[in-house]
Amino acid sequence: MTEQGPVVGLRIEELATIDLMRLHRASLYELHRRGIVRTLNAPQGDWAELLVATAYNGRLASNSEKSFDIVADDGRRLQVKARVIDHRHVGSHITSPFRSWDFDAAVVVLLDPVDLSVGRASELPVAIVQVTATYRSHVNGYVLRPTPALMSLGIEVSDRLRTAALQL
């Protein structure tokens, strides 16, 4: 809404979910450019979890679940790690920490910085995550740097998640 009322001609309830995500991301970039917000943190984690749940015909775990985010239709417990890969900010290339290994696979989702579309996604078995993650004491957990080499060790699921985005 503007001070005069709603944005003229915008019927937000008629937009597709992916278009709402793009509009949200564009709004964050503009607020950042104006110096209103300091970071571009937004709904990427929740968005990636929903994409994975949809793509795997799974269900979201409760918010209090510490070890996994999704239970897939085949019963596997999936931990979702999403990063917006913005090559201007090196820190954006590290996942949030793993603090437990009580999951079957991690789905690492790399999102485009402009519109949060799926750039690349890979399902990595927990064993690969354990041997490639680095412990960081300041976050009391293990982080991954999702390089192309690491992502190639898993199962490529990018198209699966892109299809899920179109279903929402």
Side-chain angles (χ1 to χ4, degrees), residues 101 103-106 124-133 144 150 153:
W101 304 117
F103 57 91
D104 300 301
L124 299 167
V126 66
I128 289 176
V129 175
Q130 286 177 305
V131 299
T132 57
L144 283 178
L150 175 65
L153 296 176

Side-chain angles (χ1 to χ4, degrees), residues 148-168:
L150 175 65
M151 298 292 278
S152 71
L153 296 176
I155 298 167
E156 171 70 34
V157 294
S158 303
D159 286 339
R160 193 172 175 178
L161 270 63
R162 289 181 191 120
T163 299
L166 296 174
Q167 295 172 1
L168 297 169

Side-chain angles (χ1 to χ4, degrees), residues 46-107:
D46 291 343
W47 175 236
E49 288 174 6
L50 181 60
L51 291 176
V52 172
T54 302
Y56 284 78
N57 296 313
R59 65 173 174 77
L60 293 165
S62 71
N63 283 338
S64 61
E65 178 57 56
K66 293 184 182 355
S67 301
F68 55 91
D69 301 304
I70 310 295
V71 177
D73 62 350
D74 63 4
R76 291 181 307 133
R77 297 163 302 159
L78 304 173
Q79 175 68 264
V80 178
K81 294 296 182 184
R83 293 305 311 161
V84 173
I85 298 300
D86 186 338
H87 299 288
R88 298 170 296 174
H89 304 289
V90 174
S92 70
H93 296 197
I94 299 172
T95 67
S96 61
F98 293 89
R99 294 193 178 93
S100 159
W101 304 117
D102 192 23
F103 57 91
D104 300 301
V107 180

